[in-house]
Structures are given as structure tokens and as C-alpha cells.
Amino acid sequence: MGLGQTGRPPVLVMVAGYSRVITARMLPSRQAADLVSGHWDLLSGWTAVNSPVLIPL
């Protein structure tokens, strides 16, 4: 959204129930590539995630 523009962009939210960590990121669209990129960004921000989980397929 730019200056003076209004809208409701999609927000991707991930919650880790055990550690009670909540992360969120606004996405430019609901396209599959944006969703995967958003998941990757949120998961890579969690430093306690094992590295095999973060290896792209």
C-alpha cells in the first residue's frame, strides 16, 4: 500500500503452540509463490528450527 491508498492486504500468521511464538508478515498477494516465500521468511526467522526443516525441496 502506498501513501493515501487503502486496502486489506493478506497477512500470513504462524504460531508455535508449545513455545507460544507468533510471527506474521504482510503479503503482496495470495499467489502460491508469495505464500511459499512468506512461509520461508517466517521459518527462517525462527532460530530454534532445525536446519533440515529449512532445506527447500
Side-chain angles (χ1 to χ4, degrees):
M1 300 286 129
L3 182 63
Q5 295 178 336
T6 59
R8 293 173 47 188
V11 176
L12 177 65
V13 179
M14 293 182 70
V15 179
Y18 182 75
S19 61
R20 297 184 183 135
V21 173
I22 299 174
T23 55
R25 179 167 307 261
M26 288 180 22
L27 301 175
S29 72
R30 290 184 177 96
Q31 299 290 324
D34 291 331
L35 290 171
V36 171
S37 175
H39 276 279
W40 181 261
D41 288 341
L42 292 177
L43 281 175
S44 63
W46 289 357
T47 57
V49 175
N50 292 334
S51 58
V53 174
L54 297 179
I55 296 173
L57 300 176

